[in-house]
Amino acid sequence: MQIELEKPITKTRFLEIRHRTEEICKSLKPEDVSLQPVEFVSPPKWHLAHTTWFFEQFVLSEYKKNYEVFHEKFAYYFNSYYNNVGDKVLRTNRGLMTRPTLGQVLDYRTYVNEQMSEFLSADISTEIENVVEIGLQHEQQHQELLFYDIKYIFGHQPSFPTLDYNITLKPENQSQEFIKIDEGLYDIGHKGEDFCWDNELGRHKVYLNDFEISNRLVTNSEYMEFIEAGGYKDFNLWHAEGWDWVQNHNIEAPMYWHKVNGKWMHYTLQGFKAIEDELPVNHITFYEAFAYAQWKQMRLPTEFEWEVSSEHFKHGQLWEWTNSAYLPYPNYAKADGALGEYNGKFMVNQMVLRGGSVATSPQHCRPTYRNFFHAELRWQFSGIRLAK
């Protein structure tokens, strides 16, 4: 990672970010927080504990003199994928842990917050500040994942609960225009001294042919036309793997869409509602984004086209699928040890998304930010921007 502090590492900033995680979860009930309905969803209680373990593992245990861990087993319970720091509960088994209780996890957060507050009140080295900054950035990523996971948990219950934390999409109601970008050699990757992840580094040049890119995202009403035209029934529009996914899972619409008495409805964190035509279509797989673009006789932009053109349109409503595989930039280098596991080992079988979403922390919506997911996933806040 390139680490230039977003703001000074202060106790106030640390606690503000930590508090937001708890605010997202404040309306959850104890019955909600241990549930893991599918493998890619983590229980909210696990997020609350894992983001706490990160600071205990990589800051307090490493740098605070005479630090005593809150519980000797919590490192095993709440490690995620850091093989360098020891064994862990399998991801598929996170939802089996009714213990530790929510109360114990909240006590854990309080304990680590107090220890970190004391630690940050003294002078700390640049090396330690860098690790704390990664921890804060990491926690903000998990705040977005919390929205995804809570929505999946709530959106697959018959009562369609609501979350007392407001994030909403806005209409994409401007007339569609296509922005022309000339062929040429362009610089790609993060520049400047502010924080970025290691996968944004290795600034390099790419040559792009002429292309055009939409000034807005695809809307619900436009996507309904695709459904009504038989888009989910025409194998010619799909990758072979995508068509298998449609057939094997009986897919007929985006995630959370339901047809009730002939009318399309969908689940939102504010409840079960009629679909609004001009909102951007959300919860789309790469397969669906590709098939829709094929139906429109267009395509998805590459991540490089997206980055070069991003200054010409608004983004940040939904993560936008690109037609680029998640691969390292030239001269990519990962950190030594456990923190080096953060991005590099996932550079296989995943596609890049750009732009941020309404669930993303504002500092994570920069044009060079590279999000990545497997092609079949759509519980994240994901949409479509067309190119040609």
Side-chain angles (χ1 to χ4, degrees), residues 1 53-54 57-58 81-86 335-343 345:
M1 296 82 173
W53 164 82
F54 191 100
Q57 176 71 44
F58 295 114
Y81 52 72
Y82 299 91
N83 294 316
N84 277 280
V85 297
D336 294 331
L339 292 179
E341 299 185 59
Y342 206 97
N343 283 311
K345 71 181 187 180

Side-chain angles (χ1 to χ4, degrees), residues 173-355:
N173 52 12
Q174 63 270 45
S175 60
Q176 187 172 48
E177 297 176 0
F178 281 83
I179 301 158
K180 295 181 180 180
I181 305 294
D182 293 333
E183 69 175 331
L185 201 59
Y186 293 92
D187 291 319
I188 296 295
H190 187 82
K191 65 179 178 180
E193 300 300 320
D194 54 325
F195 179 89
C196 73
W197 296 111
D198 56 6
N199 65 4
E200 300 171 65
L201 292 174
R203 189 164 170 84
H204 62 288
K205 294 185 181 297
V206 298
Y207 179 84
L208 300 178
N209 291 312
D210 291 337
F211 69 96
E212 298 179 30
I213 189 166
S214 176
N215 65 327
R216 63 168 176 78
L217 299 176
V218 172
T219 64
N220 285 328
S221 62
E222 290 170 329
Y223 200 84
M224 285 181 199
E225 293 174 5
F226 168 72
I227 297 173
E228 291 164 4
Y232 283 95
K233 303 184 188 310
D234 185 356
F235 60 83
N236 291 294
L237 301 173
W238 298 78
H239 289 106
E241 189 175 284
W243 183 244
D244 289 343
W245 174 79
V246 168
Q247 298 294 296
N248 292 338
H249 299 281
N250 298 314
I251 305 297
E252 298 179 340
M255 182 177 280
Y256 303 120
W257 284 38
H258 305 268
K259 205 162 196 177
V260 180
N261 297 325
K263 184 176 182 179
W264 282 111
M265 307 284 290
H266 67 156
Y267 174 70
T268 75
L269 285 169
Q270 289 74 49
F272 192 58
K273 298 183 176 184
I275 288 175
E276 296 178 48
D277 288 349
E278 292 186 337
L279 292 184
V281 65
N282 189 9
H283 297 297
I284 294 292
T285 61
F286 173 77
Y287 300 140
E288 291 165 296
F290 175 87
Y292 178 85
Q294 291 282 292
W295 179 70
K296 294 292 287 187
Q297 298 184 328
M298 298 189 206
R299 62 179 177 83
L300 301 177
T302 68
E303 67 165 315
F304 309 121
E305 290 172 333
W306 191 98
E307 183 174 324
V308 166
S309 60
S310 62
E311 63 183 283
H312 300 293
F313 54 76
K314 292 181 179 179
H315 50 84
Q317 288 243 76
L318 296 171
W319 288 102
E320 304 173 21
W321 286 107
T322 74
N323 203 36
S324 293
Y326 180 48
L327 296 170
Y329 286 170
N331 302 313
Y332 170 79
K334 67 177 184 178
D336 294 331
L339 292 179
E341 299 185 59
Y342 206 97
N343 283 311
K345 71 181 187 180
F346 299 110
M347 291 176 174
V348 62
N349 297 332
Q350 309 213 54
M351 302 301 289
V352 174
L353 301 91
R354 294 295 195 102

Side-chain angles (χ1 to χ4, degrees), residues 55-72:
F55 289 108
E56 182 172 67
Q57 176 71 44
F58 295 114
V59 181
L60 295 171
S61 295
E62 190 73 22
Y63 299 109
K64 192 174 191 295
K65 188 176 181 180
N66 300 321
Y67 177 73
E68 295 184 12
V69 298
F70 181 80
H71 190 291
E72 62 179 8

